[in-house]
Amino acid sequence: MRIGEAAAAAGCTPRALRLYEQRGLLPPPGRTASGQRDYQPAEVARLRVIRELLGSGFTIEDLRSCADRLHLLTQDPPPRCGAADAPEGSGSGVVGRRLAILDAEIDRLTRLREDLASRAFGNRAGADPPPYEPVSVTHRSPTAPPAPATP
């Protein structure tokens, strides 16, 4: 299939597909006689895996470090990343590093929230702040008249 069809089948754009190819996440596809990229079902399956991993918080650089093994994740069922029989350097380090980064970000956000709650509500000695109401934000065009106030 051509690049547009492959991209649509994987849920991405042709531009993203080219980027993945340039960054080494996807091997260069075969070419037609006229020089157009020609993607096979295995490459589309790999694209879906790449999209899934990027959606799970991995970066392109994370995936580059284990690009030679991404095809393994197209198996059904895929192998476990932290399997005991996984060879040394099989990519579980990528998962461990990403989990550590996520844990650090969760810790940072938790401290930020606690600091904000303390400042906003004068939170003393572990007292719970009052429950907060989620704020609903509505986008409106700058040329649209303001919405009428509701009581």
Side-chain angles (χ1 to χ4, degrees):
M1 63 182 79
R2 303 293 185 262
I3 192 167
E5 298 166 321
C12 67
T13 64
R15 184 176 178 182
L17 201 155
R18 285 187 206 95
L19 173 72
Y20 304 151
E21 188 179 317
Q22 289 170 352
R23 298 292 173 94
L25 302 182
L26 189 65
R31 299 280 181 156
T32 65
S34 63
Q36 293 181 327
R37 289 173 168 88
D38 188 24
Y39 293 93
Q40 301 303 312
E43 293 160 321
V44 173
R46 184 177 174 129
L47 275 170
R48 288 185 181 128
V49 165
I50 291 167
R51 300 289 298 166
E52 207 173 298
L53 293 170
L54 291 171
S56 295
F58 288 95
T59 65
I60 287 178
E61 288 305 311
D62 290 335
L63 299 183
R64 279 186 71 185
S65 70
C66 58
D68 61 328
R69 294 176 302 279
L70 289 176
H71 68 282
L72 297 173
L73 297 176
T74 63
Q75 298 173 1
D76 189 22
R80 288 187 35 211
C81 292
D85 58 347
E88 188 67 29
S90 65
S92 60
V94 174
V95 173
R97 283 192 304 276
R98 183 54 44 198
L99 287 171
I101 289 168
L102 289 172
D103 287 342
E105 184 65 6
I106 290 168
D107 289 344
R108 185 187 72 78
L109 290 171
T110 300
R111 286 190 310 276
L112 183 64
R113 187 194 185 287
E114 289 169 354
D115 182 56
L116 178 59
S118 175
R119 290 172 189 251
F121 305 116
N123 200 7
R124 295 171 302 281
D128 288 332
Y132 67 93
E133 298 279 331
V135 177
S136 174
V137 178
T138 306
H139 175 74
R140 69 176 182 86
S141 162
T143 58
T150 57

